[in-house]
């Protein structure tokens, strides 16, 4: 007897819904039937246009062709994020998706750099010792070198893309592989009377869609996990006071920068995300510190080119659900929580949830979702959110923008203990946090700790096993290798123009 | 240079010499000077240090060659642990290395789980080349074991003999040595740090910037400060006594530790060159010493010589680094001997101390980080060890006591996740790899109720074919491996020549 398929219902389109549908279609067997419900009337938030390098693993898992993907989504390459004015006005640093120097004798690079600097040697700024920062500053791009000895291998890359187009691209991918799509708006959630599980959804059309397991990608509304199942909300506004964003696309102009730009403002910060066909912009701000009209004026004044529309206002609250998985429902994406897009983590959080969910998904024959699996999913979900939260808060807490009320507030606010400890350790000896699971890497922490102007008082004494002269010599050679590799490197604009030609696509080449 | 320059290590035996030499070798060029204050040994001729695989890296950082260590200590290799109970069902091999190979990107364990559900009746350990080799008395040579079951091995090191090359090496590296019959700490007025130590009733007074307590459970320095309380873990671990003995070597022994569980506790037969050392754990409340000796002899199957009995009290010091005193090894934490983790805990302390060695005269941040990471690391070891008792299938008051303890939340979560899906919940600072956890859970009789659904994407025929291929590959490779005793003899001779 053929067992009846296990019915997965994904509620909501957009990047979260289609990433979940496509990812689960790829990872689960044919005994899972996947249906996605989306409404043409409900818009998608669609500001998650900047990503982290992990997205490449997700796309590779689906088997997407990179050139085709970039063409379809108007994608550009991203080597990191530039933070302008975060430490103080006029300062700028890049958080690269790459290393600073190389570890020598098992000791992290920055300790040698600090030691030489503290001893009065003539050293360059830390940013000059990161290949990916320098590649980004030249608006260049190439794929990481295969030879691990090459300094040109010490980075990875992500993308900027049009999130709406990405969702469309994944929709086509998923529907070609059997994911069913229902157009409609949910008006009622139907529960099992005995155990409270969700059994089905009633649509405005009167249609009832029943399922065994539900993935809630309904965005800020959080229809299932938030509304129907009442997973409590943990509010983080006291650490991340921004609660509004204005988003506006504009005409592309100037050099095609291979990085996201984040510029600090009196009431928050402005993002700039260059795509092939337009530039995405937005002002993330705190309604306690700036009026929306003033924010709109500041945003429009900073655009590279003509605005494509009026700025669109989004409201949000920073924080997360206590549990993303309750009963037989898992929230993925904005329905599970929100962190401002300062470090482009929204799409990563979706991806991590999809991968964890595939591993912990109820077996196709099971009668009910196993609370032991939910507990593990929720533990991982909490870890992901809290690690990112600490990293974001760091950008605000360490600032010298004295006299601006928002910045004065975040400089003085009590920090999460886990973050305060990391900052103190860096200040004492320049050691950057290093852990195995979740975001962010040691190099990322280093980039932001140093970039935000925290000056270590000392360095790891193990670095002194190398003499000061040898250290200075190696630093000089390192920067020479970086400069050497950068010679003649193509601009990202030129690289993309070539790479995105249709004949580059795998299918066309055959 | 502004970081602390003078370091005094007070202690005895392997912890003293490993700690002193490691600091000296890593930091001499940074201006650090190390003095080892050597207290009388607490070792008996029947003791043996059991290591975990990472000890090799510590030796090589110090510049100690494997050949020298094994030859001078009379030590042997160990590929893992063979656990046995009263029945065939209660026997399992815990190999240090990995098991099987992934199939089309799917974790081997998940595939094994599904295959077992479909009728495969082959124990998990049979997919470890190391486990199969060890059971046949064969060593898995480090170089030629690519793919299936890379060679990860530990050592069994007769304790007294092991200390000889360690001490010589520490002195050669520049560690200054002060012999002492007793040490008295001179505590600051607020009780929070040490000013100096007085050696042999004030014969010498030694000052330092940092003091390291490697004196074992006596914790001669660490216990003198305020905030020196311990968290007691004895509820999780039923044994409070350990009996050491020597047994003549009747035959050659495989490269593994042979552990038998009986009604009153467990007995480890630990082969070293030329004989077997025996360690028996029991609980003094339910078993008198004579009975324990009889139990140990019965488990070993031979007469035992040179008996000694010591006590143990599992737990952890709340402030591992307190003021200017860092407690290392058993001065810091008492671990149950079941998974040979005590020397490893010492190594963790040394490694993390080196990476958090004070960069200046104020080192609150370093101390906080050291205490955080060591606490987390020791708790993960505690969880792994506690699982052995929590899930033990054996009968008897000793085992009842182990099962009655309520496990730490981090452990019960891990057990639940494994039982439900076969996953090992990933946590930071683990010393035991996922395959070690799986091996132990399976050995304790837990068979997961499901597997990750992605595993179903591998066709059953493909899975069966790969399983057969791995088994025959192991069969072919195992006969190429050298006998453990021959391998050892050749290694020790090569160096001596």
């Amino acid at each position: 007897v053929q067992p009846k398929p296990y019915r997965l219902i994904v509620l909501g389109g957009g990047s979260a819904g289609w990433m979940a549908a496509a990812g689960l279609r790829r990872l689960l067997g044919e005994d899972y039937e996947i249906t996605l419900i989306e409404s043409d009337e409900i818009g998608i938030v669609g500001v998650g246009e900047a990503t982290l390098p992990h997205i490449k693993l997700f796309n590779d898992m689906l088997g997407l062709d990179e050139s085709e993907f970039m063409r379809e989504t108007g994608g550009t390459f991203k080597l990191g994020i530039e933070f302008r004015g975060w430490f103080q006005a006029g300062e700028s640093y890049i958080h690269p998706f790459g290393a600073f120097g190389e570890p020598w004798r098992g000791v992290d690079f920055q300790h040698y750099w600090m030691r030489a600097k503290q001893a009065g040697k003539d050293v360059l700024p830390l940013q000059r010792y990161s290949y990916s920062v320098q590649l980004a500053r030249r608006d260049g791009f190439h794929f990481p070198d295969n030879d691990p000895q090459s300094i040109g291998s010490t980075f990875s890359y992500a993308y900027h893309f049009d999130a709406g187009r990405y969702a469309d691209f994944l929709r086509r991918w998923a529907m070609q592989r059997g994911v069913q799509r229902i157009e409609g708006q949910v008006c009622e959630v139907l529960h099992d009377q005995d155990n409270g599980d969700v059994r089905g959804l009633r649509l405005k059309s009167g249609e009832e869609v029943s399922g065994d397991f539900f993935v809630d990608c309904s965005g800020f509304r959080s229809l299932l996990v938030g509304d129907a199942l009442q997973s409590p909300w943990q509010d983080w506004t006291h650490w991340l006071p921004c609660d509004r964003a204005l988003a506006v696309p504009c005409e592309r102009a100037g050099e095609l920068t291979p990085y996201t730009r984040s510029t600090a403002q009196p009431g928050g910060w402005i993002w700039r995300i260059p795509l092939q066909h337009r530039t995405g912009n937005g002002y993330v701000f705190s309604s306690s510190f700036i009026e929306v009209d003033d924010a709109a004026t500041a945003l429009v004044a900073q655009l590279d080119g003509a605005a494509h529309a009026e700025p669109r206002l989004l409201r949000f609250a920073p924080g997360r659900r206590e549990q993303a998985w309750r009963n037989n429902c898992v929230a993925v994406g904005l329905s599970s929580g929100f962190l401002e897009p300062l470090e482009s983590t929204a799409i990563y959080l979706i991806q991590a949830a999809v991968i964890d969910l595939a591993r912990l998904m109820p077996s196709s024959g099971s009668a009910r979702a196993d609370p032991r699996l939910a507990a593990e999913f929720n533990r991982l979900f909490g870890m992901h959110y809290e690690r990112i939260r600490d990293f974001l808060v760091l950008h605000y807490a360490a600032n010298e923008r004295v006299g601006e009320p928002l910045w004065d507030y975040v400089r003085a606010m009590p920090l999460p203990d886990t973050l305060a400890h990391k900052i103190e350790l860096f200040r004492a000896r320049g050691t950057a946090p290093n852990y195995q699971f979740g975001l962010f890497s040691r190099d990322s922490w280093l980039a932001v700790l140093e970039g935000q102007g925290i000056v270590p008082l000392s360095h790891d004494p193990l670095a002194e096993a190398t003499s000061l002269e040898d250290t200075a010599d190696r630093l000089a050679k390192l920067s020479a290798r970086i400069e050497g590799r950068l010679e003649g490197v193509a601009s990202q604009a030129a690289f993309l123009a070539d790479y995105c030609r249709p004949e580059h696509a795998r299918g066309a080449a055959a | 240079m502004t970081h602390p320059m003078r370091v005094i290590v007070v202690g005895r035996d392997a912890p003293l010499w490993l700690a002193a030499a490691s600091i000296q070798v890593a930091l001499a060029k940074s201006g650090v000077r190390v003095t080892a204050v050597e207290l009388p040994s607490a070792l008996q001729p029947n003791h043996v240090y059991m290591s975990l695989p990472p000890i090799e890296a510590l030796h090589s950082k110090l510049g100690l060659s494997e050949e020298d260590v094994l030859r001078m200590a009379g030590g042997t290799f160990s590929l893992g642990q063979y656990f046995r109970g009263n029945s065939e069902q209660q026997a399992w091999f815990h190999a240090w290395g990995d098991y099987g190979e992934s199939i089309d990107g799917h974790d081997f364990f998940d595939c094994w789980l599904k295959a077992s559900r479909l009728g495969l009746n082959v124990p998990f350990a049979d997919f470890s080349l190391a486990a199969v080799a060890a059971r046949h008395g064969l060593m898995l040579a480090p170089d030629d074991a690519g793919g299936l079951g890379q060679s990860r091995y530990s050592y069994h090191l007769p304790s007294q003999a092991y200390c000889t090359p360690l001490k010589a090496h520490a002195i050669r590296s520049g560690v200054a040595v002060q012999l002492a019959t007793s040490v008295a700490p001179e505590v600051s007025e607020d009780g929070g740090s040490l000013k100096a130590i007085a050696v042999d009733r004030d014969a010498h007074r030694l000052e330092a910037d940092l003091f390291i307590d490697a004196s074992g459970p006596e914790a001669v320095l660490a216990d003198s400060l305020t905030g020196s309380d311990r968290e007691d873990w004895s509820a999780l671990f039923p044994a409070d006594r350990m009996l050491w003995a020597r047994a003549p070597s009747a035959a050659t022994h495989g490269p593994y530790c042979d552990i038998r569980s009986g009604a009153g506790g467990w007995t480890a037969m630990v082969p070293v060159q030329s004989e077997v050392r025996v360690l028996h754990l029991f609980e003094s409340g339910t078993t008198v010493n004579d009975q324990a000796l009889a139990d140990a002899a019965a488990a070993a199957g031979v007469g035992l010589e040179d008996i000694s009995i010591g006590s143990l009290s599992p737990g952890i010091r709340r402030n591992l680094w307190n003021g200017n005193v860092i407690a290392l090894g058993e001065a810091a934490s008492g671990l149950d001997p079941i998974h040979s983790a005590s020397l490893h805990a010492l190594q963790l302390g040394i490694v993390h101390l080196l990476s958090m060695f004070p960069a200046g005269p104020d080192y609150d941040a370093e101390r906080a980080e050291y205490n955080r990471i060591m606490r987390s690391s020791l708790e993960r070891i505690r969880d792994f060890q506690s699982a052995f008792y929590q899930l033990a299938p054996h009968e008897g008051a000793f085992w009842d006591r182990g099962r009655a303890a309520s496990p730490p939340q981090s452990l019960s979560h891990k057990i639940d996740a494994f039982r439900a899906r076969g996953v090992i919940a990933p946590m930071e600072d683990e010393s035991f790899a996922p395959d070690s956890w799986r091996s132990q859970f399976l050995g304790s009789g837990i068979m997961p109720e499901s597997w990750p659904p992605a595993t179903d994407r591998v066709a059953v025929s493909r899975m069966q074919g790969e399983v057969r291929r791995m088994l025959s590959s192991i069969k072919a490779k195992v006969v190429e491996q050298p006998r453990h005793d021959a391998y050892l003899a050749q290694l020790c001779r090569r160096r001596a020549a």
Side-chain angles (χ1 to χ4, degrees):
Chain A
V1 184
Q2 192 67 17
K4 76 178 180 179
Y6 193 80
R7 296 160 305 169
L8 290 181
I9 309 296
V10 179
L11 174 57
S15 350
W18 286 109
M19 282 180 76
L24 294 173
R25 183 66 288 158
R26 171 67 188 79
L27 290 168
L28 302 175
E30 295 305 316
D31 43 346
Y32 291 82
E33 184 184 276
I34 302 175
T35 304
L36 184 144
I37 303 172
E38 67 180 332
S39 165
D40 292 340
E41 287 160 46
I42 302 174
I44 61 167
V45 171
V47 295
E49 297 174 314
T51 58
L52 296 174
H54 308 75
I55 186 72
K56 189 168 186 326
L57 297 175
F58 188 82
N59 287 350
D60 288 352
M61 179 187 87
L62 297 182
L64 304 187
D65 179 86
E66 189 179 61
S67 160
E68 185 190 356
F69 149 77
M70 293 188 76
R71 202 151 20 88
E72 292 285 330
T73 63
T76 57
F77 291 108
K78 172 179 177 185
L79 296 166
I81 305 173
E82 182 194 21
F83 291 95
R84 280 195 178 178
W86 277 79
F87 164 47
Q88 56 189 28
E91 298 277 338
S92 153
Y93 68 91
I94 286 181
H95 161 204
F97 303 140
F100 287 86
E102 306 150 301
W104 298 331
R105 295 186 179 178
V107 177
D108 292 348
F109 170 78
Q110 77 269 19
H111 296 291
Y112 295 99
W113 172 77
M114 292 183 302
R115 182 190 178 211
K117 195 176 165 183
Q118 286 155 3
K121 290 278 173 190
D122 191 21
V123 298
L124 298 168
L126 181 66
Q127 293 256 309
R128 293 286 298 276
Y129 296 102
S130 167
Y131 180 75
S132 42
V133 169
Q134 294 311 307
L135 182 59
R137 287 289 184 201
R138 277 166 224 221
D139 298 322
F141 186 79
H142 62 82
F143 290 124
D145 296 344
N146 288 326
D147 173 9
Q149 302 300 316
S150 165
I151 197 71
S153 72
T154 59
F155 70 99
S156 47
Y157 64 90
Y159 314 102
H160 302 119
F161 56 65
D162 181 323
R165 289 196 192 177
Y166 185 54
D168 289 343
F169 188 59
L170 292 182
R171 178 194 292 121
R172 292 196 296 275
W173 186 96
M175 290 183 68
Q176 279 162 14
R177 287 160 183 81
V179 171
Q180 300 294 310
R181 174 180 182 270
I182 296 177
E183 202 284 320
Q185 224 173 317
V186 171
C187 62
E188 191 187 353
V189 177
L190 309 167
H191 291 272
D192 183 302
Q193 302 233 316
D194 298 328
N195 54 38
D197 285 0
V198 172
R199 282 290 154 236
L201 305 172
R202 181 169 295 125
L203 307 185
K204 268 190 178 163
S205 62
E207 187 185 351
E208 253 185 57
V209 182
S210 53
D212 297 302
F213 195 88
F214 294 79
V215 184
D216 182 354
C217 301
S218 63
F220 289 131
R221 282 158 299 153
S222 196
L223 284 179
L224 304 182
V225 174
D227 268 12
L229 296 170
Q230 294 287 306
S231 179
W233 178 257
Q234 269 187 26
D235 183 73
W236 289 345
T237 311
H238 52 298
W239 284 317
L240 295 166
C242 289
D243 57 356
R244 300 279 189 281
L246 284 163
V248 62
C250 75
E251 211 65 48
R252 212 170 63 63
E255 206 41 65
L256 189 59
T257 52
Y259 51 87
T260 307
R261 179 176 296 148
S262 160
T263 309
Q265 300 292 314
W269 57 279
I270 285 179
W271 80 71
R272 176 185 173 277
I273 299 173
L275 307 181
Q276 290 183 33
H277 53 298
R278 60 174 166 84
T279 297
N281 307 276
Y283 190 161
V284 175
F285 62 96
S286 168
S287 59
S288 310
F289 291 93
I290 188 173
E291 295 297 327
V292 60
D293 292 346
D294 295 338
T297 307
L299 174 61
V300 170
Q302 292 200 20
L303 298 181
D304 290 349
H308 283 178
E310 282 296 303
R312 191 159 60 99
L313 180 68
L314 302 162
R315 294 160 202 273
F316 53 80
R320 68 169 175 96
R321 301 278 159 197
E322 294 275 352
Q323 301 100 14
W325 180 336
R326 268 170 102 95
N327 295 63
N328 60 338
C329 297
V330 168
V332 173
L334 301 176
S335 58
S336 69
F338 183 83
L339 288 167
E340 58 182 79
L342 184 54
E343 284 282 355
S344 318
T345 47
I347 284 182
Y348 171 82
L349 282 166
I350 296 169
Q351 177 181 350
V354 170
I355 302 294
D356 290 343
L357 179 58
R359 191 157 176 74
L360 299 168
M361 172 68 70
S363 301
S364 56
S366 55
R368 287 202 65 201
D370 189 331
R372 296 170 298 182
L373 298 177
E376 172 61 359
F377 183 92
N378 287 329
R379 187 185 70 92
L380 295 169
F381 162 73
M383 178 200 73
H384 285 306
Y385 262 82
E386 275 159 35
R387 294 199 156 163
I388 295 171
R389 176 201 68 195
D390 280 7
F391 192 63
L392 299 188
V393 173
L394 168 65
H395 296 66
Y396 285 101
N399 81 78
E400 298 288 326
R401 298 181 65 105
V402 177
E404 296 177 87
L406 167 68
W407 297 92
D408 287 343
Y409 167 77
V410 292
R411 194 180 328 104
M413 69 187 168
L415 301 179
D417 290 346
T418 41
L419 173 61
H421 170 66
K422 292 179 175 81
I423 294 175
E424 275 159 34
L425 191 61
F426 186 77
R427 203 188 299 280
R429 50 149 47 218
T431 297
N434 185 27
Y435 41 76
Q436 201 180 344
F437 304 108
L439 299 176
F440 275 86
S441 74
R442 186 162 37 177
D443 281 311
S444 290
W445 278 98
L446 172 62
V448 177
L449 284 161
E450 199 270 341
Q452 292 293 138
I454 302 171
V455 180
L457 295 170
S458 191
H459 54 268
D460 187 336
L462 293 173
E464 292 170 25
T466 304
S467 75
L468 203 47
E469 290 64 37
D470 281 356
T471 301
D473 186 47
R474 295 179 84 155
L475 286 168
K477 283 182 177 146
L478 177 63
S479 73
R481 280 167 63 209
I482 290 174
E483 294 305 314
R485 179 63 185 85
L486 285 170
E487 259 173 50
V489 92
S491 73
Q492 128 133 308
F495 189 95
L496 258 183
D498 178 53
Y499 189 60
C500 285
R501 277 181 305 167
E503 59 266 32
H504 256 293
R506 202 171 33 201
Chain B
M1 308 297 134
T2 51
H3 50 76
M5 308 289 277
R6 298 164 303 167
V7 177
I8 287 180
V9 189
V10 172
R12 44 172 61 97
D13 309 321
L16 170 67
W17 302 118
L18 284 172
S22 296
I23 298 167
Q24 177 72 26
V25 166
L27 289 163
K29 283 192 184 157
S30 316
V32 174
R33 295 284 165 266
V34 180
T35 302
V37 177
E38 184 184 15
L39 291 163
S41 174
L43 296 174
Q44 307 275 341
N46 55 13
H47 286 176
V48 57
Y49 286 117
M50 293 175 277
S51 76
L52 290 179
I55 195 81
E56 189 202 353
L58 184 67
H59 286 165
S60 92
K61 264 215 156 124
L62 289 175
L64 279 165
S65 81
E66 181 166 82
E67 296 92 325
D68 284 349
V69 168
L70 289 175
R71 181 168 45 80
M72 294 174 77
T76 56
F77 290 101
S78 175
L79 296 170
Q81 305 177 293
Y82 188 37
F83 290 96
R84 289 195 265 178
N86 285 328
S87 66
E88 191 60 25
Q89 285 75 42
Q90 293 179 355
W92 90 89
F93 197 96
H94 169 208
W96 302 135
D98 292 343
Y99 295 63
E101 288 174 318
S102 63
I103 301 176
D104 303 338
H106 296 268
D107 230 12
F108 172 74
F109 178 76
D110 299 338
C111 298
W112 176 86
L113 202 53
K114 180 174 180 185
S116 299
R117 210 43 92 68
L118 296 177
L120 175 76
N121 194 18
V122 181
F124 187 48
D126 286 12
F127 292 88
S128 157
L129 178 55
V132 176
R135 294 285 314 283
H136 285 88
L138 304 173
M139 176 60 189
L140 192 53
D143 301 328
D144 13 281
L148 273 161
Q150 84 290 25
S151 182
R152 294 193 81 218
Y153 55 79
S154 63
Y155 309 119
H156 298 147
L157 301 161
S159 304
Q160 288 180 336
Y162 174 51
C163 292
T164 311
L166 292 186
K167 179 174 180 176
H169 192 74
I171 293 169
R172 228 175 12 250
S173 310
V175 171
V177 178
Q178 169 77 57
L179 292 175
T181 53
S182 72
V183 165
E186 193 180 308
V187 180
S188 66
E189 288 68 29
D190 63 0
S193 61
L194 281 194
K195 293 204 293 196
I197 56 168
V199 174
D200 292 348
R201 295 167 183 268
D202 298 332
H204 307 278
R205 182 174 181 278
L206 301 176
E207 290 183 356
D209 301 300
L210 275 185
F211 295 87
I212 290 168
D213 189 338
S215 66
E218 186 190 350
V220 60
L221 303 185
D223 271 349
S224 68
L225 302 183
T226 55
S228 64
D229 51 306
R230 282 172 105 244
E231 185 178 308
D232 186 6
W233 287 347
S234 60
L236 297 169
F237 299 99
D240 65 351
R241 291 285 183 278
M242 42 188 188
L243 178 151
W244 289 98
R246 300 161 67 176
S249 185
T252 56
H253 287 272
Y256 61 91
C257 181
D258 190 3
I259 297 174
R260 294 184 204 196
S261 299
W266 56 263
T267 312
M269 273 66 71
V270 189
V272 297
Q273 289 179 29
S274 77
E275 66 180 24
V276 174
R277 302 271 161 106
V278 176
L279 171 63
H280 177 76
L281 257 78
F282 63 102
E283 202 252 318
S284 59
T286 49
T287 308
V288 297
N289 289 354
D290 287 348
Q291 181 61 44
L293 178 55
D295 289 348
V302 289
L304 301 181
E305 300 162 4
D306 199 5
I307 317 293
S308 65
I309 291 178
S311 62
L312 74 163
S313 49
I316 185 173
R317 182 173 296 281
R318 194 163 49 82
N319 296 304
L320 298 159
W321 178 342
N322 189 6
N324 58 350
V325 178
I326 298 110
L328 289 180
E330 290 185 76
S333 59
L335 298 179
D336 190 275
I338 187 65
H339 300 106
S340 314
S342 295
L343 204 58
H344 184 69
L346 169 72
Q347 179 174 355
L348 288 172
I350 293 171
V351 167
H352 289 303
L353 175 59
L354 289 179
S355 67
M356 279 300 122
F357 197 84
D362 297 317
Y363 42 80
D364 290 357
E366 282 96 335
R367 184 170 47 216
E369 173 64 1
Y370 178 88
N371 283 332
R372 183 193 69 77
I373 200 162
M374 282 303 292
R375 169 108 202 164
S376 165
S377 303
L378 290 165
E379 283 181 351
R380 295 291 76 74
I381 293 175
R382 173 205 63 192
D383 287 356
F384 186 74
Q385 299 199 300
S386 167
F388 175 80
Y389 294 105
Q390 193 66 227
L391 304 168
H394 315 296
E395 288 174 12
F398 178 86
W399 302 103
D400 288 343
R401 183 165 180 261
R403 282 184 291 265
S406 68
Q409 201 276 330
S410 45
L411 174 59
S412 49
H413 178 83
K414 239 177 193 147
I415 294 173
D416 284 349
F418 184 79
R419 218 186 273 280
R421 181 48 54 91
V423 296
I424 301 299
M427 295 184 187
E428 300 288 336
D429 310 316
E430 289 276 11
S431 289
F432 291 94
D435 273 352
S436 279
W437 280 95
R438 288 162 173 156
S439 163
Q440 168 155 274
F441 282 148
L442 293 171
S444 306
I446 301 182
M447 193 63 183
E449 294 159 22
S450 68
W451 52 83
T455 316
D456 294 332
R457 297 189 68 92
V458 183
V460 171
S461 57
R462 163 90 180 139
M463 194 179 280
Q464 287 167 335
E466 281 296 281
V467 161
R468 272 196 301 273
R469 184 190 60 74
M470 284 180 226
L471 287 173
S472 58
S473 162
I474 286 174
K475 213 169 163 183
K477 277 188 177 169
V478 78
V479 296
E480 297 167 8
Q481 305 306 319
R483 289 205 63 79
H484 178 219
D485 46 7
Y487 183 80
L488 257 180
Q490 193 217 8
L491 189 78
C492 294
R493 209 170 35 239
R494 188 166 74 205
R495 185 63 181 195

